[in-house]
Amino acid sequence: MAMAQGALQSCSVAFGVSGGNFAGLASSGARISSVSFRGGAPVLSSPLTTVRRENLRRREGGRGGSVKVQREVAVSSVTIEAALGVEKKGVADSKVNGVPSAKHGAVGEAQVPSMEVDAVTEAELKENGFRSTRRTKLVCTIGPATCAPEQLEALAMGGMNVARLNMCHGTRDWHKQVIRNVRSLNSEKGYSVAIMMDTEGSEIHMGDFNGAPSVKAEDGQEWIFTVRTLESLPERTTTVNYDGFAEDVRVGDELLVDGGMVRFEVIEKIGPDVKCKCTDPGLLLPRANLTMWREGRLVRDLNAMLPTISSKDWIDIDFGIAEGVDFIAVSFVKTSEVIKHLKSYINARAPNDSIGVFAKIESSDSLKNVEDIIRVSDGAMVARGDLGAQIPLEQVPSVQQGIVNLCRELNKPVIVASQLLESMIEYPTPTRAEVADVSEAVRQRADALMLSGESAMGLFPEKALSVLRTVSLRMEEWCRENKQHASDRLPELSSALNDRISESICSSAAQMANRLGADAIFVYTRRGYMASLLSRARPDCPIFAFTDTKSMRQRLNLQWGLIPFRLDFSGDMESNLRRTFALLKARGMMKKGDLIVAVSDISTSDFMQSIQVRRIP
């Protein structure tokens, strides 16, 4: 019988909420302390401890008898009593294909409600502890190489947090089946993979290649780019979706395919056809983006005439809403008005669903309005491939750093995407330069990294994901060891008092956790706001984000450092903490002596937010 032992002690430490000195707590041992906010004013607590005897009865599983247990429990007059040790009923670690199931039996005689957490994360916590968890999230584009259930499960096992569907490729029926496969993994095997739908956008792009997944363009080859509609394409011919292409392009112009992965020079115009010569060979993918350069400058007038969201995109967006995707990424965003319009459209059609709208920053037009765009979006993606085709290459690294920093300042998750491990489309190991590129994105503290062709149609999708995971873990560890971000200073997000209180609490909780060497931060939230504020602070320890809805749990899955749980809430933090401790201990995810910093914004009776420090009994 595993019963909680000993007494929780109280401490009397007064501290400020914004960067106060927490040194007094560090040496206090097993203690409880709290600071609460009421009406904007901090109320510092010095709880008195009373000791009482409790007679506890519980059944021994399968024996039919009962055991009388006496113990002393220290009950804080301000915080909560010690989490009760509970009998585990039917909590044998069930496994599906070697993965611990997220569905366990009831805990204790009170039938404590179950708690949902990703199966891979649970296994890592049990085996390696809190500090082993990866903070940077991983996004995988799903394609022919990874669409089958067993392939998706391999990616989920490898650490995929979000499955991305690129609407440039595949039919809606194909995408629907992928969504079904991901949902089945989540419900049947305990994973927590979110789904992102990426719109095609209305930029100029090539067509398909008679169903081929790719075609190689060799140096010096002549190709025909045509605006004609052809049932079958002749060899070395591709269609272009822009009817005015043959009229607007000029001899001598340079065509960049897929952000410059392949280059052509225009050598002749023949009616609706444009003859080009390959100057930089490479792999041509179906529906790859096309950009045109003339005399060393981007020809922007052609794309400027096209809408950001095409008629096809709107149909795809309706499809995404109907399928309940977690995120929609909008391609080639030019202004913030596009994002506002889309969010209004989504809210009108799915008022009870939570779909995050991400703006893809991938054009020079996006950069002109980047701050306004990110402010109204739910997150951003730095699509470096297309972006690198529209700005000088040497500017891409500084632009990436600037967007990552801006997103963190504005409390928006950011994904670094495109060509992270491009060579692994064909080869089983990355170049050392690619590894350095991934490390730099992690060092910049981007929320997520994304695989594109590497996972969609590459030969080694699982190995590519493994590289992202191991490099991220090592770089995060190095940053913590060397205190690379100890001096980070973030601006205030809002002038509203309630928001400033939340910011102060989360900033202080992160500082406290770092100074005390806490094992984890717990946050109880319905809207996800305080969880995102804690993620923004980038503490050294992982953040356990408890929410009571599936949709919010999926949304939180993309933010740095958050481990989202779904848990039914009671009306007060006292009960929530007690139940959480019992469930986590019963499932082997935490142990006696773990130090936890806890915050919450779910109080229903009064506007009260607090920081609490708990040593698990």
Side-chain angles (χ1 to χ4, degrees), residues 203-406:
E203 297 297 283
I204 299 172
H205 57 76
M206 301 189 305
D208 297 321
F209 299 104
N210 292 328
S214 63
V215 176
K216 188 69 176 291
E218 302 288 355
D219 189 26
Q221 281 184 346
E222 292 186 357
W223 280 68
I224 296 295
F225 289 72
T226 183
V227 297
R228 292 180 291 162
T229 301
L230 302 173
E231 291 186 5
S232 179
L233 290 175
E235 188 179 4
R236 298 179 189 173
T237 301
T238 183
T239 57
V240 179
N241 70 325
Y242 172 50
D243 290 338
F245 177 75
E247 298 175 20
D248 294 335
V249 76
R250 299 179 187 175
V251 173
D253 284 355
E254 188 176 32
L255 304 183
L256 275 64
V257 180
D258 203 9
M261 298 307 294
V262 187
R263 292 172 185 255
F264 292 88
E265 180 186 349
V266 177
I267 58 176
E268 188 179 359
K269 296 169 62 174
I270 312 167
D273 301 337
V274 176
K275 183 184 289 187
C276 303
K277 182 175 71 174
C278 180
T279 55
D280 278 344
L283 212 57
L284 298 175
L285 303 180
R287 309 184 73 79
N289 176 257
L290 272 179
T291 52
M292 281 148 281
W293 287 69
R294 182 174 299 150
E295 298 176 352
R297 293 187 178 183
L298 177 70
V299 180
R300 298 179 57 251
D301 295 340
L302 305 184
N303 288 333
M305 295 184 294
L306 300 173
T308 298
I309 302 179
S310 68
S311 56
K312 176 185 179 299
D313 291 337
W314 284 115
I315 297 173
D316 289 339
I317 288 167
D318 285 337
F319 165 80
I321 294 172
E323 290 298 318
V325 299
D326 302 295
F327 306 98
I328 294 177
V330 186
S331 297
F332 299 102
V333 177
K334 300 182 180 75
T335 67
S336 60
E337 293 304 315
V338 172
I339 301 297
K340 292 178 183 177
H341 180 45
L342 176 57
K343 293 180 77 170
S344 175
Y345 182 84
I346 292 172
N347 289 336
R349 282 153 181 78
N352 297 322
D353 290 332
S354 182
I355 299 178
V357 176
F358 273 58
K360 294 177 68 177
I361 310 300
E362 53 188 338
S363 69
S364 53
D365 292 320
S366 300
L367 293 179
K368 290 181 178 180
N369 305 297
V370 65
E371 183 168 347
D372 291 339
I373 290 171
I374 292 174
R375 281 188 183 277
V376 300
S377 303
D378 297 309
M381 181 189 296
V382 188
R384 306 178 306 172
D386 290 317
L387 185 61
Q390 298 205 14
I391 65 174
L393 289 174
E394 64 272 15
Q395 293 182 15
V396 173
S398 59
V399 168
Q400 173 183 312
Q401 175 79 78
I403 295 172
V404 170
N405 290 347
L406 179 61

Side-chain angles (χ1 to χ4, degrees), residues 158-179:
M160 174 176 66
N161 301 108
V162 180
R164 170 181 175 255
L165 302 177
N166 187 351
M167 302 307 290
C168 288
H169 309 287
T171 65
R172 292 188 189 94
D173 286 340
W174 182 89
H175 289 294
K176 180 181 289 187
Q177 187 58 51
V178 173
I179 292 172

Side-chain angles (χ1 to χ4, degrees), residues 133-155:
T133 57
R134 170 176 39 83
R135 315 298 196 266
T136 308
K137 301 306 177 72
L138 304 180
V139 183
C140 295
T141 303
I142 306 305
T146 48
C147 60
E150 62 273 12
Q151 295 163 334
L152 289 168
E153 183 171 8
L155 293 180

Side-chain angles (χ1 to χ4, degrees), residues 423-475:
S423 69
M424 293 193 73
I425 292 177
E426 299 184 75
Y427 301 102
T429 57
T431 67
R432 303 308 177 261
E434 288 171 336
V435 171
D437 182 36
V438 171
S439 296
E440 176 60 17
V442 175
R443 189 198 63 79
Q444 292 174 2
R445 295 199 155 184
D447 289 84
L449 307 176
M450 191 179 91
L451 295 176
S452 299
E454 304 96 327
S455 59
M457 43 80 70
L459 299 177
F460 308 98
E462 293 173 43
K463 288 186 177 181
L465 181 60
S466 177
V467 170
L468 283 193
R469 185 184 68 251
T470 55
V471 172
S472 297
L473 281 166
R474 181 64 192 98
M475 196 62 190

Side-chain angles (χ1 to χ4, degrees), residues 56-104:
L56 302 177
R57 291 183 177 271
R58 66 175 184 172
R59 295 184 184 275
E60 284 191 339
R63 295 187 180 180
S66 63
V67 177
K68 183 176 181 180
V69 183
Q70 289 187 335
R71 66 171 182 169
E72 289 186 349
V73 181
V75 183
S76 166
S77 61
V78 177
T79 55
I80 70 170
E81 57 190 22
L84 298 179
V86 293
E87 184 84 18
K88 292 184 282 187
K89 294 174 63 179
V91 192
D93 284 343
S94 58
K95 295 188 178 182
V96 181
N97 291 345
V99 181
S101 172
K103 297 182 179 180
H104 293 268

Side-chain angles (χ1 to χ4, degrees), residues 339-611:
I339 301 297
K340 292 178 183 177
H341 180 45
L342 176 57
K343 293 180 77 170
S344 175
Y345 182 84
I346 292 172
N347 289 336
R349 282 153 181 78
N352 297 322
D353 290 332
S354 182
I355 299 178
V357 176
F358 273 58
K360 294 177 68 177
I361 310 300
E362 53 188 338
S363 69
S364 53
D365 292 320
S366 300
L367 293 179
K368 290 181 178 180
N369 305 297
V370 65
E371 183 168 347
D372 291 339
I373 290 171
I374 292 174
R375 281 188 183 277
V376 300
S377 303
D378 297 309
M381 181 189 296
V382 188
R384 306 178 306 172
D386 290 317
L387 185 61
Q390 298 205 14
I391 65 174
L393 289 174
E394 64 272 15
Q395 293 182 15
V396 173
S398 59
V399 168
Q400 173 183 312
Q401 175 79 78
I403 295 172
V404 170
N405 290 347
L406 179 61
C407 285
R408 187 177 171 196
E409 289 176 3
L410 297 178
N411 196 29
K412 308 286 184 173
V414 58
I415 305 168
V416 173
S418 305
Q419 303 169 1
L420 285 170
L421 299 172
E422 191 78 8
S423 69
M424 293 193 73
I425 292 177
E426 299 184 75
Y427 301 102
T429 57
T431 67
R432 303 308 177 261
E434 288 171 336
V435 171
D437 182 36
V438 171
S439 296
E440 176 60 17
V442 175
R443 189 198 63 79
Q444 292 174 2
R445 295 199 155 184
D447 289 84
L449 307 176
M450 191 179 91
L451 295 176
S452 299
E454 304 96 327
S455 59
M457 43 80 70
L459 299 177
F460 308 98
E462 293 173 43
K463 288 186 177 181
L465 181 60
S466 177
V467 170
L468 283 193
R469 185 184 68 251
T470 55
V471 172
S472 297
L473 281 166
R474 181 64 192 98
M475 196 62 190
E476 291 166 358
E477 183 182 17
W478 181 85
C479 289
R480 291 193 295 271
E481 290 172 349
N482 292 275
K483 302 188 183 301
Q484 286 292 298
H485 304 278
S487 60
D488 284 358
R489 293 292 181 268
L490 296 170
E492 283 191 349
L493 286 169
S494 173
S495 58
L497 178 60
N498 288 354
D499 289 340
R500 288 170 60 197
I501 291 172
S502 295
E503 287 180 48
S504 296
I505 286 176
C506 291
S507 176
S508 297
Q511 291 180 46
M512 180 186 294
N514 288 346
R515 294 178 185 180
L516 298 179
D519 294 289
I521 298 175
F522 285 9
V523 55
Y524 298 83
T525 180
R526 286 194 170 94
R527 297 183 299 119
Y529 182 60
M530 289 191 75
S532 69
L533 289 174
L534 286 167
S535 172
R536 178 182 186 243
R538 303 295 197 259
D540 289 341
C541 62
I543 305 160
F544 285 25
F546 299 92
T547 188
D548 58 351
T549 64
K550 180 180 178 181
S551 59
M552 181 53 61
R553 178 191 172 203
Q554 297 293 88
R555 284 277 296 273
L556 296 176
N557 208 28
L558 190 53
Q559 296 191 36
W560 189 98
L562 296 185
I563 300 176
F565 292 73
R566 201 206 66 77
L567 178 72
D568 292 330
F569 290 149
S570 62
D572 65 287
M573 188 173 177
E574 313 276 330
S575 176
N576 290 325
L577 276 169
R578 187 164 58 243
R579 290 163 53 216
T580 304
F581 290 165
L583 286 166
L584 289 173
K585 287 176 67 178
R587 288 169 62 165
M589 285 186 278
M590 65 189 312
K591 61 185 184 300
K592 179 179 179 179
D594 286 337
L595 186 65
I596 304 300
V597 175
V599 300
S600 174
D601 62 3
I602 63 169
S603 176
T604 56
S605 59
D606 186 16
F607 177 71
M608 178 176 176
Q609 296 173 311
S610 65
I611 304 174

